[in-house]
Amino acid sequence: MLCTTVRNNVECPFMTKKGCSYEGNVCKTIVPQCEGCARIHEYSEKFYCQILPDPMAKWKTGNCNMATHVSSIKVETKQKINPIKASKRSKG
Ligand code: SF4
């Protein structure tokens, strides 16, 4: 249904005939961790996430999995090899 609150005229799954069904009946603004994300959109001079109603909840337990500015690729750490142990392993 089309939103009649923050994202006026934008399709939203939380919108019902009785109004916004999300907690507090309105979307919540972005949090500092969102800065740099391409999903941020300005509505009525405030910044909101285009796809999530409560950005703070998304960051509570770690990085937001929908963020465009956070890489989820883990950087491999180089393992130090002890040359003495390595030579013993190769000799069998
Ligand atoms: S997708 Fe995540 S990081 Fe990006 S604006 Fe929404 S809540 Fe913030």
Side-chain angles (χ1 to χ4, degrees):
M1 225 176 140
L2 294 179
C3 178
T4 57
T5 58
V6 170
R7 306 173 225 212
N8 206 9
N9 282 328
V10 174
E11 194 63 43
C12 179
F14 293 103
M15 204 62 198
T16 68
K17 287 178 183 172
K18 292 180 182 174
C20 179
S21 64
Y22 194 72
E23 183 190 317
N25 305 112
V26 71
C27 288
K28 295 177 172 79
T29 53
I30 60 161
V31 291
Q33 296 94 313
C34 295
E35 277 178 36
C37 182
R39 301 190 200 279
I40 294 173
H41 201 273
E42 189 178 355
Y43 296 99
S44 305
E45 295 174 19
K46 286 184 181 176
F47 295 95
Y48 296 89
C49 176
Q50 280 180 310
I51 56 169
L52 301 166
D54 187 359
M56 187 188 288
K58 207 65 185 164
W59 283 95
K60 251 183 193 167
T61 55
N63 290 350
C64 171
N65 62 339
M66 301 301 284
T68 60
H69 63 309
V70 177
S71 173
S72 60
I73 300 165
K74 288 181 184 170
V75 179
E76 279 187 37
T77 52
K78 284 186 180 178
Q79 192 176 5
K80 283 188 179 179
I81 297 168
N82 183 330
I84 296 167
K85 285 184 181 176
S87 70
K88 282 182 184 175
R89 263 186 236 132
S90 64
K91 287 177 187 172

